[in-house]
Coordinates of all heavy atoms in Angstrom, one line a residue:
K22 N 24.4 14.8 -15.0 CA 24.4 14.0 -13.8 C 23.0 13.9 -13.2 O 22.3 14.7 -13.0 CB 25.4 14.7 -12.8 CG 25.6 13.8 -11.5 CD 26.6 14.6 -10.6 CE 26.9 13.7 -9.4 NZ 27.9 14.5 -8.4
V23 N 22.8 12.6 -12.7 CA 21.5 12.3 -11.9 C 22.0 12.1 -10.6 O 22.7 11.2 -10.2 CB 20.8 11.0 -12.5 CG1 19.6 10.7 -11.7 CG2 20.4 11.2 -14.0
N24 N 21.5 12.9 -9.6 CA 21.8 12.9 -8.2 C 20.8 11.9 -7.6 O 19.5 12.0 -7.9 CB 21.7 14.2 -7.6 CG 22.9 15.1 -8.0 OD1 24.0 14.6 -8.2 ND2 22.7 16.3 -8.2
F25 N 21.2 11.0 -6.7 CA 20.3 10.1 -6.0 C 20.7 10.1 -4.6 O 21.8 10.4 -4.2 CB 20.3 8.8 -6.7 CG 21.7 8.1 -6.7 CD1 22.0 7.3 -5.7 CD2 22.6 8.4 -7.7 CE1 23.4 6.7 -5.7 CE2 23.8 7.8 -7.8 CZ 24.2 6.9 -6.8
Y26 N 19.8 9.7 -3.7 CA 20.0 9.8 -2.3 C 20.1 8.5 -1.6 O 20.4 8.4 -0.4 CB 18.9 10.6 -1.7 CG 18.6 12.0 -2.3 CD1 17.4 12.4 -2.7 CD2 19.8 12.9 -2.5 CE1 17.2 13.7 -3.3 CE2 19.6 14.1 -3.1 CZ 18.3 14.6 -3.4 OH 18.2 15.7 -4.1
F27 N 19.8 7.4 -2.2 CA 19.8 6.1 -1.6 C 21.3 5.5 -1.6 O 22.1 5.8 -2.4 CB 18.9 5.1 -2.3 CG 19.2 4.8 -3.7 CD1 20.2 3.9 -4.0 CD2 18.7 5.6 -4.8 CE1 20.6 3.6 -5.4 CE2 19.1 5.4 -6.1 CZ 20.0 4.3 -6.4
F28 N 21.5 4.6 -0.6 CA 22.8 3.9 -0.5 C 22.6 2.4 -0.6 O 22.1 1.8 0.4 CB 23.4 4.3 0.8 CG 24.3 5.5 0.8 CD1 24.7 6.2 1.9 CD2 24.7 6.0 -0.4 CE1 25.5 7.4 1.9 CE2 25.5 7.2 -0.5 CZ 25.9 7.8 0.6
L29 N 23.0 1.8 -1.7 CA 23.0 0.3 -1.8 C 23.8 -0.3 -0.8 O 23.5 -1.4 -0.4 CB 23.4 -0.1 -3.2 CG 22.3 0.2 -4.3 CD1 22.9 -0.2 -5.7 CD2 21.0 -0.7 -4.0
K30 N 24.9 0.3 -0.4 CA 25.8 -0.3 0.6 C 25.2 -0.7 1.9 O 25.7 -1.6 2.6 CB 27.0 0.6 0.8 CG 26.7 1.9 1.6 CD 27.9 2.7 1.9 CE 27.6 3.9 2.7 NZ 28.8 4.8 3.0
Y31 N 24.0 -0.1 2.2 CA 23.4 -0.4 3.4 C 22.7 -1.9 3.5 O 22.4 -2.4 4.5 CB 22.3 0.6 3.8 CG 22.9 1.9 4.2 CD1 22.3 3.2 3.9 CD2 24.2 1.9 4.8 CE1 22.8 4.3 4.4 CE2 24.7 3.1 5.2 CZ 24.0 4.3 5.0 OH 24.6 5.5 5.4
L32 N 22.6 -2.4 2.3 CA 22.2 -3.9 2.2 C 23.2 -4.7 2.9 O 22.9 -5.6 3.7 CB 22.0 -4.3 0.8 CG 20.8 -3.7 0.1 CD1 20.9 -4.0 -1.4 CD2 19.5 -4.1 0.6
G33 N 24.5 -4.4 2.7 CA 25.6 -5.1 3.3 C 25.7 -4.8 4.8 O 26.0 -5.6 5.6
T34 N 25.4 -3.5 5.1 CA 25.4 -3.1 6.6 C 24.4 -3.9 7.4 O 24.8 -4.3 8.5 CB 25.1 -1.7 6.7 OG1 26.1 -0.8 5.9 CG2 25.1 -1.1 8.1
V35 N 23.3 -4.1 6.9 CA 22.2 -4.8 7.5 C 22.6 -6.3 7.7 O 22.4 -6.9 8.8 CB 20.9 -4.7 6.7 CG1 19.8 -5.7 7.3 CG2 20.3 -3.2 6.8
K36 N 23.1 -6.9 6.6 CA 23.5 -8.3 6.7 C 24.6 -8.5 7.8 O 24.5 -9.5 8.6 CB 24.1 -8.8 5.4 CG 23.1 -8.8 4.3 CD 23.8 -9.2 2.9 CE 22.9 -9.2 1.8 NZ 23.7 -9.5 0.4
K37 N 25.6 -7.6 7.9 CA 26.6 -7.7 8.9 C 26.1 -7.4 10.3 O 26.4 -8.2 11.2 CB 27.6 -6.7 8.6 CG 28.9 -6.7 9.6 CD 29.8 -5.5 9.2 CE 31.0 -5.5 10.2 NZ 31.9 -4.5 9.9
A38 N 25.1 -6.5 10.4 CA 24.6 -6.2 11.8 C 23.8 -7.4 12.4 O 23.8 -7.6 13.6 CB 23.7 -5.0 11.7
L39 N 23.1 -8.1 11.5 CA 22.3 -9.3 12.0 C 22.9 -10.6 11.8 O 22.3 -11.6 12.0 CB 20.9 -9.2 11.4 CG 20.1 -7.9 11.6 CD1 18.8 -8.0 10.8 CD2 19.8 -7.7 13.0
A40 N 24.1 -10.7 11.4 CA 24.8 -12.0 11.1 C 24.8 -12.9 12.2 O 24.7 -14.1 12.0 CB 26.3 -11.7 10.6
K41 N 24.8 -12.4 13.5 CA 25.0 -13.2 14.7 C 23.6 -13.5 15.3 O 23.5 -14.1 16.4 CB 26.0 -12.7 15.7 CG 27.4 -12.5 15.1 CD 28.4 -12.0 16.2 CE 29.8 -11.8 15.7 NZ 30.7 -11.3 16.7
Y42 N 22.7 -13.0 14.8 CA 21.3 -13.0 15.4 C 20.3 -13.8 14.4 O 19.6 -13.2 13.6 CB 20.8 -11.5 15.7 CG 21.7 -10.8 16.6 CD1 22.8 -10.0 16.1 CD2 21.6 -10.9 18.0 CE1 23.6 -9.3 16.8 CE2 22.5 -10.2 18.8 CZ 23.4 -9.3 18.2 OH 24.3 -8.7 19.0
K43 N 20.3 -15.1 14.6 CA 19.6 -15.9 13.6 C 18.1 -15.6 13.6 O 17.5 -15.6 12.5 CB 19.8 -17.4 14.1 CG 19.2 -18.4 13.1 CD 19.6 -19.9 13.6 CE 19.0 -20.8 12.6 NZ 19.4 -22.3 12.9
K44 N 17.4 -15.5 14.7 CA 16.1 -15.2 14.8 C 15.7 -13.9 14.1 O 14.8 -13.9 13.3 CB 15.6 -15.2 16.2 CG 14.0 -14.8 16.4 CD 13.7 -14.7 17.8 CE 12.2 -14.3 18.0 NZ 11.8 -14.2 19.4
E45 N 16.4 -12.9 14.4 CA 16.1 -11.6 13.7 C 16.4 -11.5 12.3 O 15.6 -11.0 11.5 CB 16.9 -10.5 14.5 CG 16.3 -10.1 15.9 CD 16.5 -11.2 16.9 OE1 17.5 -12.0 16.8 OE2 15.7 -11.3 17.8
W46 N 17.6 -12.2 11.9 CA 17.9 -12.2 10.6 C 16.9 -13.0 9.7 O 16.5 -12.6 8.6 CB 19.2 -12.9 10.3 CG 19.5 -13.1 8.9 CD1 19.7 -14.4 8.3 CD2 19.8 -12.1 7.8 NE1 19.9 -14.2 6.9 CE2 20.0 -12.9 6.6 CE3 19.7 -10.8 7.7 CZ2 20.3 -12.3 5.4 CZ3 20.0 -10.1 6.6 CH2 20.2 -10.9 5.4
S47 N 16.4 -14.1 10.3 CA 15.4 -14.9 9.6 C 14.1 -14.1 9.4 O 13.4 -14.3 8.4 CB 15.1 -16.2 10.5 OG 14.0 -16.9 10.0
Q48 N 13.7 -13.3 10.4 CA 12.5 -12.5 10.3 C 12.6 -11.5 9.2 O 11.6 -11.3 8.4 CB 12.3 -11.8 11.7 CG 10.9 -11.1 11.8 CD 10.6 -10.5 13.1 OE1 11.4 -10.6 14.0 NE2 9.3 -10.1 13.3
L49 N 13.7 -10.8 9.0 CA 14.0 -9.9 8.0 C 14.0 -10.6 6.6 O 13.5 -10.2 5.6 CB 15.2 -9.1 8.2 CG 15.5 -8.0 7.2 CD1 14.4 -7.0 7.2 CD2 16.9 -7.3 7.6
W50 N 14.8 -11.8 6.6 CA 15.0 -12.5 5.4 C 13.7 -13.0 4.8 O 13.6 -13.1 3.6 CB 16.0 -13.7 5.7 CG 16.3 -14.5 4.5 CD1 15.9 -15.7 4.2 CD2 17.2 -14.2 3.4 NE1 16.4 -16.2 3.1 CE2 17.2 -15.3 2.5 CE3 18.0 -13.1 3.0 CZ2 18.0 -15.3 1.3 CZ3 18.7 -13.1 1.9 CH2 18.7 -14.2 1.0
N51 N 12.8 -13.4 5.6 CA 11.6 -13.9 5.2 C 10.5 -12.9 4.9 O 9.3 -13.2 4.9 CB 11.0 -15.0 6.2 CG 11.9 -16.3 6.2 OD1 12.2 -16.8 5.1 ND2 12.4 -16.7 7.3
S52 N 10.9 -11.7 4.8 CA 10.0 -10.5 4.5 C 10.1 -10.1 3.1 O 10.8 -10.6 2.2 CB 10.3 -9.4 5.5 OG 11.5 -8.7 5.1
Q53 N 9.4 -9.0 2.7 CA 9.5 -8.5 1.4 C 10.9 -7.9 1.0 O 11.1 -7.7 -0.1 CB 8.5 -7.2 1.3 CG 8.9 -6.1 2.3 CD 7.9 -4.9 2.2 OE1 7.7 -4.3 1.0 NE2 7.2 -4.6 3.3
F54 N 11.8 -7.8 2.0 CA 13.1 -7.3 1.7 C 14.1 -8.4 1.2 O 15.2 -8.1 0.8 CB 13.7 -6.6 2.9 CG 13.0 -5.4 3.4 CD1 12.2 -5.4 4.5 CD2 13.2 -4.2 2.7 CE1 11.5 -4.3 4.8 CE2 12.5 -3.1 3.0 CZ 11.6 -3.1 4.1
R55 N 13.6 -9.6 1.2 CA 14.5 -10.8 0.9 C 15.2 -10.6 -0.5 O 16.4 -10.8 -0.6 CB 13.7 -12.1 0.9 CG 14.5 -13.3 0.5 CD 13.9 -14.6 0.8 NE 14.7 -15.7 0.5 CZ 14.4 -16.9 0.9 NH1 13.3 -17.2 1.7 NH2 15.2 -18.0 0.6
Y56 N 14.4 -10.3 -1.5 CA 15.0 -10.2 -2.9 C 16.1 -9.1 -2.9 O 17.2 -9.4 -3.5 CB 14.0 -10.0 -3.9 CG 14.6 -10.0 -5.4 CD1 14.8 -11.2 -5.9 CD2 15.0 -8.8 -6.0 CE1 15.3 -11.2 -7.3 CE2 15.5 -8.9 -7.2 CZ 15.7 -10.1 -7.8 OH 16.3 -10.1 -9.1
L57 N 15.9 -8.0 -2.3 CA 16.9 -6.9 -2.3 C 18.1 -7.3 -1.5 O 19.3 -7.0 -2.0 CB 16.2 -5.7 -1.8 CG 15.2 -4.9 -2.7 CD1 14.7 -3.7 -2.0 CD2 15.9 -4.6 -4.1
L58 N 17.9 -8.0 -0.4 CA 19.0 -8.4 0.4 C 19.8 -9.4 -0.4 O 21.1 -9.5 -0.2 CB 18.5 -9.0 1.7 CG 17.9 -8.0 2.7 CD1 17.2 -8.7 3.8 CD2 19.0 -7.1 3.3
E59 N 19.2 -10.3 -1.2 CA 20.0 -11.3 -1.9 C 20.5 -10.8 -3.2 O 21.6 -11.1 -3.6 CB 19.0 -12.5 -2.2 CG 19.7 -13.7 -2.7 CD 18.8 -14.8 -2.8 OE1 17.6 -14.8 -2.6 OE2 19.4 -16.0 -3.1
H60 N 19.7 -9.9 -4.0 CA 20.1 -9.6 -5.3 C 20.2 -8.0 -5.6 O 20.6 -7.6 -6.7 CB 19.2 -10.2 -6.4 CG 19.1 -11.7 -6.3 ND1 20.2 -12.5 -6.7 CD2 18.1 -12.6 -5.9 CE1 19.8 -13.7 -6.5 NE2 18.6 -13.8 -6.1
G61 N 19.8 -7.3 -4.6 CA 19.8 -5.8 -4.9 C 21.1 -5.2 -5.3 O 21.1 -4.1 -5.9
G62 N 22.2 -5.7 -4.8 CA 23.5 -5.2 -5.2 C 24.2 -5.9 -6.3 O 25.4 -5.6 -6.5
D63 N 23.5 -6.8 -6.9 CA 24.1 -7.6 -8.0 C 24.6 -6.7 -9.2 O 25.6 -6.9 -9.8 CB 23.2 -8.6 -8.6 CG 23.1 -9.8 -7.6 OD1 23.7 -9.8 -6.6 OD2 22.2 -10.7 -7.9
V64 N 23.8 -5.6 -9.4 CA 24.0 -4.6 -10.5 C 24.2 -3.3 -9.8 O 23.3 -2.9 -9.1 CB 23.0 -4.7 -11.5 CG1 23.3 -3.6 -12.6 CG2 22.9 -6.1 -12.2
A65 N 25.3 -2.6 -10.0 CA 25.4 -1.3 -9.4 C 24.5 -0.3 -10.1 O 24.1 -0.5 -11.3 CB 26.9 -0.8 -9.5
F66 N 24.2 0.7 -9.4 CA 23.3 1.8 -10.0 C 24.2 2.6 -11.0 O 25.3 3.0 -10.6 CB 22.7 2.7 -9.0 CG 21.8 3.8 -9.5 CD1 20.7 3.5 -10.0 CD2 22.3 5.1 -9.4 CE1 19.8 4.5 -10.6 CE2 21.6 6.1 -9.9 CZ 20.2 5.8 -10.5
S67 N 23.7 2.9 -12.2 CA 24.3 3.7 -13.2 C 23.6 4.9 -13.4 O 22.5 4.9 -14.0 CB 24.5 2.8 -14.5 OG 24.9 3.7 -15.5
V68 N 24.2 6.0 -13.1 CA 23.5 7.4 -13.4 C 23.4 7.6 -14.9 O 22.4 8.2 -15.3 CB 24.3 8.5 -12.7 CG1 24.2 8.4 -11.2 CG2 25.7 8.6 -13.1
Q69 N 24.3 7.1 -15.7 CA 24.3 7.2 -17.1 C 23.1 6.5 -17.7 O 22.4 7.0 -18.5 CB 25.6 6.8 -17.7 CG 25.6 7.0 -19.3 CD 26.8 6.5 -19.9 OE1 27.6 5.8 -19.3 NE2 27.0 6.7 -21.2
F70 N 22.9 5.3 -17.2 CA 21.8 4.5 -17.7 C 20.5 5.1 -17.3 O 19.6 5.1 -18.1 CB 21.9 3.1 -17.1 CG 20.9 2.1 -17.6 CD1 20.6 1.8 -18.9 CD2 20.0 1.6 -16.6 CE1 19.6 1.1 -19.4 CE2 18.9 0.8 -17.0 CZ 18.8 0.5 -18.3

Side-chain angles (χ1 to χ4, degrees):
K22 187 177 181 181
V23 177
N24 291 323
F25 57 95
Y26 305 129
F27 62 87
F28 272 160
L29 284 176
K30 67 179 182 180
Y31 287 150
L32 292 170
T34 301
V35 167
K36 292 178 186 178
K37 181 180 177 181
L39 297 179
K41 297 180 180 180
Y42 302 90
K43 185 176 181 179
K44 178 183 176 182
E45 287 69 29
W46 171 249
S47 178
Q48 190 172 5
L49 184 61
W50 180 255
N51 290 310
S52 73
Q53 62 180 300
F54 296 104
R55 178 171 183 164
Y56 184 83
L57 288 181
L58 288 168
E59 188 172 11
H60 299 293
D63 288 353
V64 178
F66 180 69
S67 167
V68 293
Q69 184 185 5
F70 180 61

